[in-house]
Amino acid sequence: MLVNTLREVPAEAEIVSHKLLLRAGFIKKVASGIYSYLPIGWRVMQKIMDIIRDEMNKAGGLELGLPSIHPAELWLETGRWNVYGDELFRLKDRHQRDFCLGPTHEEVLTDIVRKEVSSYKQLPLLLYQIQNKYRDERRPRFGLMRGREFIMKDLYSFDKDVEGMKISYKKMYNAYVNIFKRCGLEFRAVEADSGAIGGKTSHEFMVLAQNGEAEIVYCPNCEYAANVEKAEAYPEVLPKEELKTMEKVYTPGAKTMDKLAEYLDVLKTRTIKTMLYKADEELVCVLVRGDRTVNEIKVKNLLDCVNLEIANEAVIQEEIGIPMGYVGPVNMPKKVKIVADSEINNLSNIIVGANKTDYHLINVNPGRDFRIDIEGDVRVIEEGEKCPCSAGTLKKARGIEVGQVFQLGTKYSEALKAVYADEKGNNNFIVMGCYGIGVGRTMAAAIEQNHDQDGIIWPMTIAPFHAVVIPVSSKDEQQIKIAEDIYQGLKSSGIEVIMDDRDERAGIKFKDADLIGYPLQIIVGNKTTTEGTVDLVMRKNKEDKNSVQVENVFEVVKNLVQTHIGSL
Ligand code: ATP
Ligand code: MG
């Protein structure tokens, strides 16, 4: 076996799964966001892929193999060559023809289906692959969590109609629940934004973990759970006041909401936060209550734009000549679209920037003093708000998105003209769904949830080996002989077992076994040669040490493994 464990925590690793994967010798960095899987790491990856494959096949999926190199023409046909932006790895061949490395496979697979499928009799179809994906992420980090090359299972469903798509979606949703359960993870399926992939209905499977990059809200009283990016926020209705006369007030240095509220001695709920964005080529002004945060995903969806970025000071100066920090909606030039959160229109006598350095306007009233071009839910939901079920208050948690399922509809079949002839001979667009799981991210998420100060504690189902046999003394020939017999015996009864036969001190072997995280440790020591027993230690609870007669080891270990993974 090739395992080199490290004592030191590698400097570049910030979160526990990344640290442990490197320290325990599962992966090796090649370049930023690009990793090799070492033999024990690859065994875990294979285990996860086996579980995924099994559930995909059970749900009726057909496995195939698709290329990583895609011709630009296909991506131009769907328009994504231009939309995907810098995340797409682009390359040219020797004839200067454009290609990209596949970040996802809607184009390539729909191209196959439009050529191979012509009749309703061939539908539904669930096609999938498990393969490398390439995304030139802006911030590759956390090891396998956010790589630039990573392994994904992606399945695409092709149905006759929306009803069929919903059935396929449900099948995949259920298969995902089974997969993550079998991987021993604690997770939640949450309502999600469908982003660049498209479609309307989508769920993300979130492994609950403090280090998760995603934030979710959930209701302790009902099933509701959603990504914060997506969770709909309901406007808080504050009592309407008698309208007062607008006035300009001197507010030196009050560039932030906190400073402003403090300077004028008012609650932030009485102020408006005005943010200027560049939405594709257009300048837009987004208004939310002073105590709220703009949800850029919602703004992007509302405006239906491709790029949304905070406008920088130079752009604001040049295009509308307003000083940053004092921007407000009153007299905003017509060419700047004003997008207001649904809470804004209800407010009365509020405070906004005066579009003049060191000045704000007080007693400002929407409608009377400024226009609203587009109204909608564009703010981030907060913990403690009411759940749509109206019984509970929402809580926030962090999650790692290990999988996502989408109802795509006809976005890709229309772009690529993938049609089938129905019973009457009429052509219809095929209705699609797509379903991804990050294999490496699932492995990292499993570690985030299953570790202690000594190392990883693999769930039995995805552990690199079920058990390790450790002879305490590498010098004691009798111990080595018994250890070898146990090892061979377990192996022939179907247990995945490894023996630490290195010429190392016992302490080092124990430390490595804990770090690598084999669920069961079988320790062959003095008691084995004198009393005929071995110590059987559960990695999960090391205090739980059992003395087992050597001749019973096979039976006991087999039972333990079987209770976790089913039959061998
Ligand atoms: P994220 O929002 O985290 O960037 P995504 O929503 O873009 O991910 P999908 O297109 O839904 O990702 O891909 C399906 C799955 O592939 C994700 O749920 C995740 O498990 C995995 N995945 C996506 N990007 C990466 C990455 N850069 N590194 C590792 N796994 C990834
Ligand atoms: Mg996703």
Side-chain angles (χ1 to χ4, degrees), residues 84 87 103-104 135 137 144-153 197 204 213 401-404 406 436-442:
Y84 222 93
E87 236 179 65
T104 175
R135 295 184 184 177
E137 298 273 356
L144 299 185
M145 288 275 185
R146 186 169 296 284
R148 296 196 296 165
E149 173 173 310
F150 58 95
I151 297 178
M152 195 205 283
K153 181 287 301 177
I197 305 276
E204 283 164 339
E213 286 186 286
E401 179 205 319
V402 285
Q404 188 166 10
F406 303 85
I437 294 182
V439 181
R441 196 182 279 185
T442 301

PDB file of all heavy atoms in Angstrom, residues 84 87 103-104 135 137 144-153 197 204 213 401-404 406 436-442, ligand 1:
ATOM      1  N   TYR A  84     -21.531  31.295 -20.448  1.00  0.00           N
ATOM      2  CA  TYR A  84     -20.832  30.588 -19.370  1.00  0.00           C
ATOM      3  C   TYR A  84     -19.673  31.383 -18.778  1.00  0.00           C
ATOM      4  O   TYR A  84     -19.279  31.180 -17.639  1.00  0.00           O
ATOM      5  CB  TYR A  84     -20.368  29.201 -19.838  1.00  0.00           C
ATOM      6  CG  TYR A  84     -20.605  28.146 -18.781  1.00  0.00           C
ATOM      7  CD1 TYR A  84     -21.774  27.405 -18.776  1.00  0.00           C
ATOM      8  CD2 TYR A  84     -19.667  27.908 -17.785  1.00  0.00           C
ATOM      9  CE1 TYR A  84     -22.011  26.452 -17.806  1.00  0.00           C
ATOM     10  CE2 TYR A  84     -19.890  26.954 -16.810  1.00  0.00           C
ATOM     11  CZ  TYR A  84     -21.059  26.230 -16.822  1.00  0.00           C
ATOM     12  OH  TYR A  84     -21.284  25.288 -15.856  1.00  0.00           O
ATOM     13  N   GLU A  87     -15.691  30.739 -16.437  1.00  0.00           N
ATOM     14  CA  GLU A  87     -15.618  29.428 -15.801  1.00  0.00           C
ATOM     15  C   GLU A  87     -15.368  28.309 -16.820  1.00  0.00           C
ATOM     16  O   GLU A  87     -14.954  27.210 -16.465  1.00  0.00           O
ATOM     17  CB  GLU A  87     -16.906  29.150 -15.041  1.00  0.00           C
ATOM     18  CG  GLU A  87     -16.641  28.840 -13.594  1.00  0.00           C
ATOM     19  CD  GLU A  87     -17.910  28.575 -12.817  1.00  0.00           C
ATOM     20  OE1 GLU A  87     -18.582  27.581 -13.108  1.00  0.00           O
ATOM     21  OE2 GLU A  87     -18.199  29.373 -11.907  1.00  0.00           O
ATOM     22  N   PRO A 103     -18.005  21.422 -18.600  1.00  0.00           N
ATOM     23  CA  PRO A 103     -18.337  21.693 -17.206  1.00  0.00           C
ATOM     24  C   PRO A 103     -19.640  20.990 -16.819  1.00  0.00           C
ATOM     25  O   PRO A 103     -19.967  20.848 -15.644  1.00  0.00           O
ATOM     26  CB  PRO A 103     -18.539  23.211 -17.167  1.00  0.00           C
ATOM     27  CG  PRO A 103     -18.975  23.579 -18.543  1.00  0.00           C
ATOM     28  CD  PRO A 103     -18.422  22.543 -19.495  1.00  0.00           C
ATOM     29  N   THR A 104     -20.402  20.552 -17.814  1.00  0.00           N
ATOM     30  CA  THR A 104     -21.701  19.902 -17.667  1.00  0.00           C
ATOM     31  C   THR A 104     -22.040  19.409 -19.084  1.00  0.00           C
ATOM     32  O   THR A 104     -21.398  19.832 -20.045  1.00  0.00           O
ATOM     33  CB  THR A 104     -22.734  20.908 -17.092  1.00  0.00           C
ATOM     34  OG1 THR A 104     -24.020  20.303 -17.072  1.00  0.00           O
ATOM     35  CG2 THR A 104     -22.829  22.188 -17.919  1.00  0.00           C
ATOM     36  N   ARG A 135     -14.238  23.154 -14.502  1.00  0.00           N
ATOM     37  CA  ARG A 135     -14.778  24.506 -14.308  1.00  0.00           C
ATOM     38  C   ARG A 135     -13.655  25.367 -13.757  1.00  0.00           C
ATOM     39  O   ARG A 135     -13.091  25.039 -12.712  1.00  0.00           O
ATOM     40  CB  ARG A 135     -15.956  24.495 -13.326  1.00  0.00           C
ATOM     41  CG  ARG A 135     -17.147  23.732 -13.847  1.00  0.00           C
ATOM     42  CD  ARG A 135     -18.342  23.802 -12.899  1.00  0.00           C
ATOM     43  NE  ARG A 135     -19.419  22.971 -13.408  1.00  0.00           N
ATOM     44  CZ  ARG A 135     -20.578  22.779 -12.784  1.00  0.00           C
ATOM     45  NH1 ARG A 135     -20.817  23.355 -11.630  1.00  0.00           N
ATOM     46  NH2 ARG A 135     -21.499  22.013 -13.323  1.00  0.00           N
ATOM     47  N   GLU A 137     -13.064  27.676 -11.758  1.00  0.00           N
ATOM     48  CA  GLU A 137     -13.696  28.392 -10.653  1.00  0.00           C
ATOM     49  C   GLU A 137     -12.902  29.651 -10.298  1.00  0.00           C
ATOM     50  O   GLU A 137     -11.671  29.648 -10.319  1.00  0.00           O
ATOM     51  CB  GLU A 137     -13.754  27.490  -9.410  1.00  0.00           C
ATOM     52  CG  GLU A 137     -14.584  26.231  -9.576  1.00  0.00           C
ATOM     53  CD  GLU A 137     -16.059  26.443  -9.276  1.00  0.00           C
ATOM     54  OE1 GLU A 137     -16.436  27.559  -8.869  1.00  0.00           O
ATOM     55  OE2 GLU A 137     -16.833  25.480  -9.469  1.00  0.00           O
ATOM     56  N   LEU A 144     -11.151  19.065  -2.278  1.00  0.00           N
ATOM     57  CA  LEU A 144     -12.099  18.478  -3.233  1.00  0.00           C
ATOM     58  C   LEU A 144     -13.449  19.193  -3.257  1.00  0.00           C
ATOM     59  O   LEU A 144     -14.264  18.950  -4.140  1.00  0.00           O
ATOM     60  CB  LEU A 144     -12.327  17.006  -2.900  1.00  0.00           C
ATOM     61  CG  LEU A 144     -11.100  16.094  -2.952  1.00  0.00           C
ATOM     62  CD1 LEU A 144     -11.526  14.644  -2.711  1.00  0.00           C
ATOM     63  CD2 LEU A 144     -10.355  16.205  -4.277  1.00  0.00           C
ATOM     64  N   MET A 145     -13.670  20.080  -2.319  1.00  0.00           N
ATOM     65  CA  MET A 145     -14.969  20.767  -2.247  1.00  0.00           C
ATOM     66  C   MET A 145     -15.219  21.623  -3.478  1.00  0.00           C
ATOM     67  O   MET A 145     -16.311  21.662  -4.007  1.00  0.00           O
ATOM     68  CB  MET A 145     -15.006  21.715  -1.049  1.00  0.00           C
ATOM     69  CG  MET A 145     -15.098  21.020   0.241  1.00  0.00           C
ATOM     70  SD  MET A 145     -16.802  20.667   0.604  1.00  0.00           S
ATOM     71  CE  MET A 145     -16.559  20.005   2.245  1.00  0.00           C
ATOM     72  N   ARG A 146     -14.230  22.397  -3.843  1.00  0.00           N
ATOM     73  CA  ARG A 146     -14.384  23.284  -4.992  1.00  0.00           C
ATOM     74  C   ARG A 146     -13.128  23.207  -5.843  1.00  0.00           C
ATOM     75  O   ARG A 146     -12.205  23.985  -5.674  1.00  0.00           O
ATOM     76  CB  ARG A 146     -14.664  24.724  -4.528  1.00  0.00           C
ATOM     77  CG  ARG A 146     -14.977  25.669  -5.682  1.00  0.00           C
ATOM     78  CD  ARG A 146     -15.514  26.991  -5.216  1.00  0.00           C
ATOM     79  NE  ARG A 146     -16.789  26.834  -4.540  1.00  0.00           N
ATOM     80  CZ  ARG A 146     -17.955  26.605  -5.169  1.00  0.00           C
ATOM     81  NH1 ARG A 146     -17.999  26.539  -6.473  1.00  0.00           N
ATOM     82  NH2 ARG A 146     -19.055  26.476  -4.474  1.00  0.00           N
ATOM     83  N   GLY A 147     -13.107  22.205  -6.701  1.00  0.00           N
ATOM     84  CA  GLY A 147     -11.953  22.006  -7.558  1.00  0.00           C
ATOM     85  C   GLY A 147     -12.201  22.607  -8.930  1.00  0.00           C
ATOM     86  O   GLY A 147     -13.300  23.073  -9.232  1.00  0.00           O
ATOM     87  N   ARG A 148     -11.184  22.572  -9.748  1.00  0.00           N
ATOM     88  CA  ARG A 148     -11.349  23.005 -11.144  1.00  0.00           C
ATOM     89  C   ARG A 148     -11.536  21.794 -12.055  1.00  0.00           C
ATOM     90  O   ARG A 148     -12.097  21.876 -13.121  1.00  0.00           O
ATOM     91  CB  ARG A 148     -10.158  23.870 -11.562  1.00  0.00           C
ATOM     92  CG  ARG A 148     -10.128  25.160 -10.724  1.00  0.00           C
ATOM     93  CD  ARG A 148      -9.244  26.199 -11.322  1.00  0.00           C
ATOM     94  NE  ARG A 148      -7.853  25.776 -11.351  1.00  0.00           N
ATOM     95  CZ  ARG A 148      -6.922  26.385 -12.074  1.00  0.00           C
ATOM     96  NH1 ARG A 148      -7.246  27.413 -12.838  1.00  0.00           N
ATOM     97  NH2 ARG A 148      -5.680  25.966 -12.015  1.00  0.00           N
ATOM     98  N   GLU A 149     -10.984  20.659 -11.609  1.00  0.00           N
ATOM     99  CA  GLU A 149     -11.313  19.382 -12.246  1.00  0.00           C
ATOM    100  C   GLU A 149     -11.889  18.507 -11.144  1.00  0.00           C
ATOM    101  O   GLU A 149     -11.279  18.386 -10.086  1.00  0.00           O
ATOM    102  CB  GLU A 149     -10.052  18.729 -12.839  1.00  0.00           C
ATOM    103  CG  GLU A 149     -10.317  17.326 -13.347  1.00  0.00           C
ATOM    104  CD  GLU A 149      -9.129  16.713 -14.104  1.00  0.00           C
ATOM    105  OE1 GLU A 149      -8.583  17.368 -15.001  1.00  0.00           O
ATOM    106  OE2 GLU A 149      -8.758  15.592 -13.763  1.00  0.00           O
ATOM    107  N   PHE A 150     -13.060  17.960 -11.355  1.00  0.00           N
ATOM    108  CA  PHE A 150     -13.679  17.136 -10.306  1.00  0.00           C
ATOM    109  C   PHE A 150     -14.577  16.092 -10.967  1.00  0.00           C
ATOM    110  O   PHE A 150     -14.916  16.210 -12.142  1.00  0.00           O
ATOM    111  CB  PHE A 150     -14.477  18.011  -9.329  1.00  0.00           C
ATOM    112  CG  PHE A 150     -15.569  18.834  -9.973  1.00  0.00           C
ATOM    113  CD1 PHE A 150     -16.885  18.370 -10.010  1.00  0.00           C
ATOM    114  CD2 PHE A 150     -15.291  20.061 -10.544  1.00  0.00           C
ATOM    115  CE1 PHE A 150     -17.896  19.122 -10.610  1.00  0.00           C
ATOM    116  CE2 PHE A 150     -16.294  20.822 -11.148  1.00  0.00           C
ATOM    117  CZ  PHE A 150     -17.596  20.357 -11.174  1.00  0.00           C
ATOM    118  N   ILE A 151     -14.912  15.075 -10.179  1.00  0.00           N
ATOM    119  CA  ILE A 151     -15.722  13.992 -10.744  1.00  0.00           C
ATOM    120  C   ILE A 151     -17.188  14.196 -10.372  1.00  0.00           C
ATOM    121  O   ILE A 151     -17.504  14.452  -9.215  1.00  0.00           O
ATOM    122  CB  ILE A 151     -15.221  12.618 -10.262  1.00  0.00           C
ATOM    123  CG1 ILE A 151     -13.788  12.413 -10.765  1.00  0.00           C
ATOM    124  CG2 ILE A 151     -16.137  11.489 -10.763  1.00  0.00           C
ATOM    125  CD1 ILE A 151     -13.145  11.123 -10.320  1.00  0.00           C
ATOM    126  N   MET A 152     -18.020  14.114 -11.385  1.00  0.00           N
ATOM    127  CA  MET A 152     -19.452  14.300 -11.160  1.00  0.00           C
ATOM    128  C   MET A 152     -20.220  13.155 -11.801  1.00  0.00           C
ATOM    129  O   MET A 152     -19.845  12.663 -12.854  1.00  0.00           O
ATOM    130  CB  MET A 152     -19.919  15.615 -11.800  1.00  0.00           C
ATOM    131  CG  MET A 152     -21.288  16.093 -11.330  1.00  0.00           C
ATOM    132  SD  MET A 152     -22.126  17.164 -12.514  1.00  0.00           S
ATOM    133  CE  MET A 152     -21.271  18.702 -12.270  1.00  0.00           C
ATOM    134  N   LYS A 153     -21.278  12.769 -11.127  1.00  0.00           N
ATOM    135  CA  LYS A 153     -22.269  11.903 -11.782  1.00  0.00           C
ATOM    136  C   LYS A 153     -23.299  12.853 -12.336  1.00  0.00           C
ATOM    137  O   LYS A 153     -23.824  13.706 -11.611  1.00  0.00           O
ATOM    138  CB  LYS A 153     -22.892  10.961 -10.755  1.00  0.00           C
ATOM    139  CG  LYS A 153     -23.924  10.002 -11.304  1.00  0.00           C
ATOM    140  CD  LYS A 153     -25.269  10.578 -11.675  1.00  0.00           C
ATOM    141  CE  LYS A 153     -25.973  11.246 -10.526  1.00  0.00           C
ATOM    142  NZ  LYS A 153     -27.262  11.861 -10.943  1.00  0.00           N
ATOM    143  N   ILE A 197     -27.937  26.844 -15.188  1.00  0.00           N
ATOM    144  CA  ILE A 197     -28.389  25.599 -15.811  1.00  0.00           C
ATOM    145  C   ILE A 197     -29.780  25.780 -16.415  1.00  0.00           C
ATOM    146  O   ILE A 197     -30.090  25.245 -17.464  1.00  0.00           O
ATOM    147  CB  ILE A 197     -28.392  24.434 -14.779  1.00  0.00           C
ATOM    148  CG1 ILE A 197     -27.017  24.284 -14.137  1.00  0.00           C
ATOM    149  CG2 ILE A 197     -28.898  23.143 -15.381  1.00  0.00           C
ATOM    150  CD1 ILE A 197     -26.009  23.478 -14.876  1.00  0.00           C
ATOM    151  N   GLU A 204     -31.546  21.326  -4.029  1.00  0.00           N
ATOM    152  CA  GLU A 204     -30.149  20.994  -3.727  1.00  0.00           C
ATOM    153  C   GLU A 204     -30.140  20.057  -2.539  1.00  0.00           C
ATOM    154  O   GLU A 204     -30.954  20.202  -1.621  1.00  0.00           O
ATOM    155  CB  GLU A 204     -29.379  22.266  -3.341  1.00  0.00           C
ATOM    156  CG  GLU A 204     -29.013  23.120  -4.526  1.00  0.00           C
ATOM    157  CD  GLU A 204     -28.613  24.535  -4.115  1.00  0.00           C
ATOM    158  OE1 GLU A 204     -28.965  24.987  -3.014  1.00  0.00           O
ATOM    159  OE2 GLU A 204     -27.947  25.195  -4.921  1.00  0.00           O
ATOM    160  N   GLU A 213     -20.419  26.089   2.402  1.00  0.00           N
ATOM    161  CA  GLU A 213     -20.369  27.403   1.748  1.00  0.00           C
ATOM    162  C   GLU A 213     -21.767  27.968   1.552  1.00  0.00           C
ATOM    163  O   GLU A 213     -21.931  29.146   1.301  1.00  0.00           O
ATOM    164  CB  GLU A 213     -19.687  27.274   0.386  1.00  0.00           C
ATOM    165  CG  GLU A 213     -18.195  27.080   0.479  1.00  0.00           C
ATOM    166  CD  GLU A 213     -17.559  27.115  -0.903  1.00  0.00           C
ATOM    167  OE1 GLU A 213     -17.711  26.127  -1.646  1.00  0.00           O
ATOM    168  OE2 GLU A 213     -16.921  28.108  -1.233  1.00  0.00           O
ATOM    169  N   GLU A 401     -23.384  21.748  -0.611  1.00  0.00           N
ATOM    170  CA  GLU A 401     -24.234  21.238  -1.687  1.00  0.00           C
ATOM    171  C   GLU A 401     -23.529  20.057  -2.333  1.00  0.00           C
ATOM    172  O   GLU A 401     -22.555  20.225  -3.046  1.00  0.00           O
ATOM    173  CB  GLU A 401     -24.482  22.343  -2.725  1.00  0.00           C
ATOM    174  CG  GLU A 401     -25.342  21.855  -3.869  1.00  0.00           C
ATOM    175  CD  GLU A 401     -25.112  22.644  -5.154  1.00  0.00           C
ATOM    176  OE1 GLU A 401     -24.971  23.874  -5.108  1.00  0.00           O
ATOM    177  OE2 GLU A 401     -25.064  21.996  -6.212  1.00  0.00           O
ATOM    178  N   VAL A 402     -24.044  18.851  -2.087  1.00  0.00           N
ATOM    179  CA  VAL A 402     -23.414  17.675  -2.683  1.00  0.00           C
ATOM    180  C   VAL A 402     -24.109  17.233  -3.968  1.00  0.00           C
ATOM    181  O   VAL A 402     -23.537  16.526  -4.788  1.00  0.00           O
ATOM    182  CB  VAL A 402     -23.326  16.493  -1.691  1.00  0.00           C
ATOM    183  CG1 VAL A 402     -22.232  16.736  -0.671  1.00  0.00           C
ATOM    184  CG2 VAL A 402     -24.654  16.249  -0.993  1.00  0.00           C
ATOM    185  N   GLY A 403     -25.351  17.663  -4.137  1.00  0.00           N
ATOM    186  CA  GLY A 403     -26.053  17.295  -5.362  1.00  0.00           C
ATOM    187  C   GLY A 403     -27.140  18.291  -5.672  1.00  0.00           C
ATOM    188  O   GLY A 403     -27.591  19.031  -4.784  1.00  0.00           O
ATOM    189  N   GLN A 404     -27.531  18.326  -6.936  1.00  0.00           N
ATOM    190  CA  GLN A 404     -28.635  19.209  -7.306  1.00  0.00           C
ATOM    191  C   GLN A 404     -29.447  18.563  -8.421  1.00  0.00           C
ATOM    192  O   GLN A 404     -28.889  17.913  -9.308  1.00  0.00           O
ATOM    193  CB  GLN A 404     -28.117  20.592  -7.741  1.00  0.00           C
ATOM    194  CG  GLN A 404     -29.257  21.598  -7.944  1.00  0.00           C
ATOM    195  CD  GLN A 404     -28.805  23.046  -8.038  1.00  0.00           C
ATOM    196  OE1 GLN A 404     -27.614  23.323  -8.127  1.00  0.00           O
ATOM    197  NE2 GLN A 404     -29.750  23.969  -8.018  1.00  0.00           N
ATOM    198  N   PHE A 406     -32.663  19.312 -11.282  1.00  0.00           N
ATOM    199  CA  PHE A 406     -33.345  20.407 -11.973  1.00  0.00           C
ATOM    200  C   PHE A 406     -34.436  19.885 -12.890  1.00  0.00           C
ATOM    201  O   PHE A 406     -34.211  18.920 -13.614  1.00  0.00           O
ATOM    202  CB  PHE A 406     -32.380  21.145 -12.927  1.00  0.00           C
ATOM    203  CG  PHE A 406     -31.148  21.725 -12.320  1.00  0.00           C
ATOM    204  CD1 PHE A 406     -30.012  20.942 -12.134  1.00  0.00           C
ATOM    205  CD2 PHE A 406     -31.094  23.069 -11.974  1.00  0.00           C
ATOM    206  CE1 PHE A 406     -28.846  21.489 -11.614  1.00  0.00           C
ATOM    207  CE2 PHE A 406     -29.932  23.623 -11.454  1.00  0.00           C
ATOM    208  CZ  PHE A 406     -28.808  22.843 -11.265  1.00  0.00           C
ATOM    209  N   GLY A 436     -27.145  16.214 -10.856  1.00  0.00           N
ATOM    210  CA  GLY A 436     -25.705  16.048 -10.646  1.00  0.00           C
ATOM    211  C   GLY A 436     -25.342  15.731  -9.203  1.00  0.00           C
ATOM    212  O   GLY A 436     -26.008  16.174  -8.268  1.00  0.00           O
ATOM    213  N   ILE A 437     -24.284  14.946  -9.055  1.00  0.00           N
ATOM    214  CA  ILE A 437     -23.707  14.716  -7.718  1.00  0.00           C
ATOM    215  C   ILE A 437     -22.202  14.879  -7.822  1.00  0.00           C
ATOM    216  O   ILE A 437     -21.569  14.299  -8.716  1.00  0.00           O
ATOM    217  CB  ILE A 437     -23.995  13.295  -7.188  1.00  0.00           C
ATOM    218  CG1 ILE A 437     -25.489  13.103  -6.932  1.00  0.00           C
ATOM    219  CG2 ILE A 437     -23.215  13.014  -5.897  1.00  0.00           C
ATOM    220  CD1 ILE A 437     -25.831  11.737  -6.367  1.00  0.00           C
ATOM    221  N   GLY A 438     -21.613  15.653  -6.935  1.00  0.00           N
ATOM    222  CA  GLY A 438     -20.164  15.788  -6.883  1.00  0.00           C
ATOM    223  C   GLY A 438     -19.596  14.651  -6.042  1.00  0.00           C
ATOM    224  O   GLY A 438     -19.885  14.559  -4.841  1.00  0.00           O
ATOM    225  N   VAL A 439     -18.811  13.792  -6.648  1.00  0.00           N
ATOM    226  CA  VAL A 439     -18.315  12.607  -5.917  1.00  0.00           C
ATOM    227  C   VAL A 439     -17.258  13.025  -4.882  1.00  0.00           C
ATOM    228  O   VAL A 439     -17.326  12.642  -3.714  1.00  0.00           O
ATOM    229  CB  VAL A 439     -17.738  11.557  -6.898  1.00  0.00           C
ATOM    230  CG1 VAL A 439     -17.241  10.329  -6.134  1.00  0.00           C
ATOM    231  CG2 VAL A 439     -18.786  11.142  -7.926  1.00  0.00           C
ATOM    232  N   GLY A 440     -16.295  13.841  -5.307  1.00  0.00           N
ATOM    233  CA  GLY A 440     -15.246  14.288  -4.385  1.00  0.00           C
ATOM    234  C   GLY A 440     -15.812  15.170  -3.286  1.00  0.00           C
ATOM    235  O   GLY A 440     -15.392  15.092  -2.120  1.00  0.00           O
ATOM    236  N   ARG A 441     -16.787  15.991  -3.663  1.00  0.00           N
ATOM    237  CA  ARG A 441     -17.375  16.862  -2.643  1.00  0.00           C
ATOM    238  C   ARG A 441     -18.140  16.032  -1.614  1.00  0.00           C
ATOM    239  O   ARG A 441     -18.146  16.349  -0.425  1.00  0.00           O
ATOM    240  CB  ARG A 441     -18.289  17.906  -3.292  1.00  0.00           C
ATOM    241  CG  ARG A 441     -18.589  19.043  -2.343  1.00  0.00           C
ATOM    242  CD  ARG A 441     -19.533  20.058  -2.929  1.00  0.00           C
ATOM    243  NE  ARG A 441     -18.890  21.002  -3.816  1.00  0.00           N
ATOM    244  CZ  ARG A 441     -19.541  22.037  -4.368  1.00  0.00           C
ATOM    245  NH1 ARG A 441     -20.814  22.225  -4.105  1.00  0.00           N
ATOM    246  NH2 ARG A 441     -18.896  22.861  -5.166  1.00  0.00           N
ATOM    247  N   THR A 442     -18.754  14.945  -2.064  1.00  0.00           N
ATOM    248  CA  THR A 442     -19.455  14.057  -1.131  1.00  0.00           C
ATOM    249  C   THR A 442     -18.459  13.422  -0.164  1.00  0.00           C
ATOM    250  O   THR A 442     -18.705  13.319   1.039  1.00  0.00           O
ATOM    251  CB  THR A 442     -20.218  12.962  -1.917  1.00  0.00           C
ATOM    252  OG1 THR A 442     -21.143  13.617  -2.794  1.00  0.00           O
ATOM    253  CG2 THR A 442     -20.956  12.027  -0.994  1.00  0.00           C
TER     254      THR A 442
HETATM  255  P1  ATP B   1     -21.642  25.455  -6.677  1.00  0.00           P
HETATM  256  O1  ATP B   1     -22.861  26.310  -6.496  1.00  0.00           O
HETATM  257  O2  ATP B   1     -21.139  24.865  -5.411  1.00  0.00           O
HETATM  258  O3  ATP B   1     -20.592  26.094  -7.510  1.00  0.00           O
HETATM  259  P2  ATP B   1     -23.068  24.276  -8.794  1.00  0.00           P
HETATM  260  O4  ATP B   1     -24.466  24.504  -8.335  1.00  0.00           O
HETATM  261  O5  ATP B   1     -22.488  25.133  -9.813  1.00  0.00           O
HETATM  262  O6  ATP B   1     -22.110  24.196  -7.534  1.00  0.00           O
HETATM  263  P3  ATP B   1     -23.935  21.934 -10.222  1.00  0.00           P
HETATM  264  O7  ATP B   1     -23.829  22.432 -11.596  1.00  0.00           O
HETATM  265  O8  ATP B   1     -25.270  21.846  -9.588  1.00  0.00           O
HETATM  266  O9  ATP B   1     -22.943  22.762  -9.277  1.00  0.00           O
HETATM  267  O10 ATP B   1     -23.139  20.553 -10.147  1.00  0.00           O
HETATM  268  C1  ATP B   1     -23.627  19.376  -9.525  1.00  0.00           C
HETATM  269  C2  ATP B   1     -22.756  18.978  -8.362  1.00  0.00           C
HETATM  270  O11 ATP B   1     -21.373  18.938  -8.708  1.00  0.00           O
HETATM  271  C3  ATP B   1     -22.812  19.938  -7.194  1.00  0.00           C
HETATM  272  O12 ATP B   1     -23.942  19.705  -6.399  1.00  0.00           O
HETATM  273  C4  ATP B   1     -21.507  19.629  -6.469  1.00  0.00           C
HETATM  274  O13 ATP B   1     -21.651  18.498  -5.642  1.00  0.00           O
HETATM  275  C5  ATP B   1     -20.564  19.278  -7.594  1.00  0.00           C
HETATM  276  N1  ATP B   1     -19.680  20.408  -7.922  1.00  0.00           N
HETATM  277  C6  ATP B   1     -19.983  21.517  -8.601  1.00  0.00           C
HETATM  278  N2  ATP B   1     -18.913  22.311  -8.731  1.00  0.00           N
HETATM  279  C7  ATP B   1     -17.887  21.671  -8.115  1.00  0.00           C
HETATM  280  C8  ATP B   1     -16.517  21.968  -7.917  1.00  0.00           C
HETATM  281  N3  ATP B   1     -15.984  23.082  -8.390  1.00  0.00           N
HETATM  282  N4  ATP B   1     -15.739  21.073  -7.252  1.00  0.00           N
HETATM  283  C9  ATP B   1     -16.286  19.934  -6.780  1.00  0.00           C
HETATM  284  N5  ATP B   1     -17.569  19.597  -6.935  1.00  0.00           N
HETATM  285  C10 ATP B   1     -18.371  20.448  -7.594  1.00  0.00           C
END
